[in-house]
Amino acid sequence: MASAILLLFGSFAVLMVIGVPIAFSIGAATFLTFLLFMSFDQSLFIVAQQMASGLDSFTLLAIPFFILAGNIMNRGGIAMRLINFAQVLGGRLPGALAHCNVIANMMFGSISGSAVASAAAVGGVMAPLQKKEGYDPAYSAAVNIASCPTGLLIPPSSTFIVYSLITGGTSIAALFVAGYVPGILMGLGLMIVAGIIAKRRGYPVAPRPSLCQVWQAARDAILPLGLIVVIMGGIISGAFTATEASAAAVVYTLFLALVWYREIGIRDLPAIIMESAVTTSIVLLMIGASIAMSRVMAFGGIPYLISDTLLALSDNPLAILLLINIALLIVGTFMDMTPALLIFTPIFLPVVQELGMDPVHFGVMMTLNLCIGICTPPVGSALFVGCSVGNTSIASVIRPLLPFYAVLFGLLLLVTYVPEISLFLPRILGIY
């Protein structure tokens, strides 16, 4: 077992350091570890079989549909309408454009379910506006980077879909609803920090909008925000599953972009579908490789060893949960969210269940934890995209990000140790 742990994580770390793509690093490390237990041919067969069987899931069909819906939104003018509405909502607060950025990320991210898409779409629009108003580009990028993962907590979220698949059937509806309060708290916490910094720096407050402007912005945002009602209303009422909801999201966004707003045409669809297919293939390749890695870990008894070790270190649930959070924060700095979720959920879930922690609560905690990871160097995807659209460097944005990190860490502890923040809403609605 010790040899398996050393070979699996050692080879994975070496491959990552030398620049091998993460999906191939996971797959190669998994194959090498299987060689400890069986022949070359058997190892190759098992890895291929696990990757194929792991992706043979109706639930996973939701991921390409939500990715496609997000890309249609990006191209179809929906993001701009949400940003205009966010400007009306946050315009009278100190540092109005920073608040607009956070609110727009919450709305757009909750519809697209992608932090990277949100960072690109919202940040690409907000960065020039903030620069024109005299905002520090590094501060503007920091606000965008820290707030774009809110959409991974506010449903629909492909992260919760993957988590449900790993855990063997944790209710997707319960996970979706459980993410609302932490996601909203995350956005509000970031807005408080952004407001304090903006006040100190004297960033301008937007002019008071006229009633006509408010009505126009609200009217333009009603139909895009209606997608949330369609998806969540359908899932909670039992009208359709999360996978069927994702297909409905594609039809709805396509209708808005193609027929109602006419921002795209039929000729634009092949490029949008191809872009979505490429993104989907990357995500699903990582999922398949990570499922194979989870299999070799189970085969070698690695999760049980780590579980026993953690429980032997302390019998205090608070201390164990803190250790798990620290481990996940470290993992999040060098591993993308999906593979981290797939690899470490089977390791830590038995530990927290031994402590009596609810799987839905743990899913929200783990997602929030890994949201922080995509905002941190060296491989945070949101960090790279946010710096790119904000025309600033990673080195210059780290210091402005520190107060936002502090809020995110504080919220993580609050969500970890106060289960009702995540669970009370699903219980009130009677879906858990």
Side-chain angles (χ1 to χ4, degrees):
M1 190 180 296
S3 300
I5 294 174
L6 183 62
L7 182 58
L8 180 65
F9 292 110
S11 58
F12 173 69
V14 170
L15 290 168
M16 286 282 292
V17 168
I18 64 176
V20 177
I22 187 167
F24 296 103
S25 299
I26 293 171
T30 301
F31 173 70
L32 291 173
T33 308
F34 265 122
L35 289 175
L36 291 175
F37 305 104
M38 54 192 71
S39 68
F40 180 91
D41 291 344
Q42 289 174 320
S43 299
L44 195 61
F45 175 78
I46 290 293
V47 171
Q49 182 191 52
Q50 290 299 313
M51 290 181 68
S53 62
L55 294 176
D56 184 16
S57 167
F58 179 74
T59 302
L60 282 180
L61 280 175
I63 293 177
F65 282 126
F66 278 130
I67 289 173
L68 178 57
N71 285 333
I72 293 171
M73 288 175 60
N74 266 339
R75 300 282 192 91
I78 295 174
M80 194 65 230
R81 287 169 171 82
L82 293 175
I83 290 170
N84 290 337
F85 184 52
Q87 284 182 297
V88 170
L89 294 179
R92 299 300 298 166
L93 299 171
L97 292 179
H99 295 295
C100 169
N101 198 323
V102 176
I103 295 169
N105 270 326
M106 291 172 70
M107 291 191 294
F108 183 81
S110 68
I111 296 174
S112 68
S114 170
V116 171
S118 186
V122 176
V125 174
M126 295 305 303
L129 296 177
Q130 290 172 315
K131 186 176 181 180
K132 185 178 179 181
E133 292 289 337
Y135 285 67
D136 176 18
Y139 165 76
S140 301
V143 173
N144 187 42
I145 291 164
S147 60
C148 69
T150 52
L152 299 177
L153 286 167
I154 303 174
S157 169
S158 58
T159 305
F160 286 142
I161 294 170
V162 173
Y163 177 83
S164 173
L165 177 71
I166 303 165
T167 57
T170 302
S171 169
I172 294 178
L175 286 165
F176 276 7
V177 175
Y180 269 115
V181 175
I184 293 171
L185 289 177
M186 181 177 173
L188 292 176
L190 296 173
M191 288 176 68
I192 290 171
V193 173
I196 293 171
I197 295 173
K199 187 75 173 177
R200 289 177 177 176
R201 296 185 180 183
Y203 290 145
V205 175
R208 184 181 298 276
S210 65
L211 288 176
C212 181
Q213 290 173 319
V214 172
W215 165 245
Q216 180 69 37
R219 188 183 64 181
D220 288 345
I222 285 175
L223 288 178
L225 291 175
L227 180 58
I228 300 175
V229 178
V230 171
I231 293 173
M232 294 308 300
I235 293 174
I236 293 172
S237 67
F240 40 66
T241 65
T243 304
E244 292 162 348
S246 67
V250 172
V251 174
Y252 189 93
T253 53
L254 195 59
F255 170 77
L256 289 183
L258 193 63
V259 179
W260 192 262
Y261 297 135
R262 298 183 181 181
E263 296 276 350
I264 61 173
I266 297 293
R267 292 181 179 180
D268 299 312
L269 293 182
I272 295 173
I273 293 171
M274 179 60 71
E275 182 183 352
S276 303
V278 171
T279 304
T280 299
S281 65
I282 295 170
V283 173
L284 293 184
L285 180 60
M286 287 195 296
I287 290 175
S290 300
I291 288 172
M293 179 179 271
S294 299
R295 173 63 177 170
V296 77
M297 287 194 299
F299 193 84
I302 294 172
Y304 302 106
L305 175 63
I306 296 175
S307 174
D308 292 342
T309 302
L310 279 173
L311 293 172
L313 287 174
S314 173
D315 58 359
N316 186 337
L318 301 182
I320 294 174
L321 289 175
L322 182 61
L323 288 173
I324 291 174
N325 271 317
I326 292 171
L328 289 173
L329 286 169
I330 294 171
V331 166
T333 62
F334 66 86
M335 187 180 291
D336 198 42
M337 196 164 191
T338 300
L341 199 69
L342 284 154
I343 292 169
F344 290 95
T345 299
I347 293 176
F348 291 130
L349 184 59
V351 179
V352 299
Q353 286 182 316
E354 185 80 17
L355 301 175
M357 191 176 192
D358 188 276
V360 172
H361 177 205
F362 180 65
V364 174
M365 183 200 89
M366 194 170 186
T367 300
L368 175 56
N369 189 305
L370 295 175
C371 280
I372 299 173
I374 66 174
C375 301
T376 56
V379 295
S381 53
L383 180 67
F384 285 117
V385 172
C387 289
S388 176
V389 298
N391 294 313
T392 187
S393 67
I394 292 176
S396 64
V397 85
I398 294 301
R399 186 171 180 179
L401 271 171
L402 293 178
F404 296 106
Y405 287 150
V407 170
L408 295 176
F409 292 145
L411 179 61
L412 175 61
L413 293 176
L414 193 64
V415 168
T416 299
Y417 295 124
V418 186
E420 287 306 307
I421 292 176
S422 306
L423 299 178
F424 88 94
L425 198 54
R427 287 172 177 164
I428 287 175
L429 295 176
I431 58 174
Y432 192 64

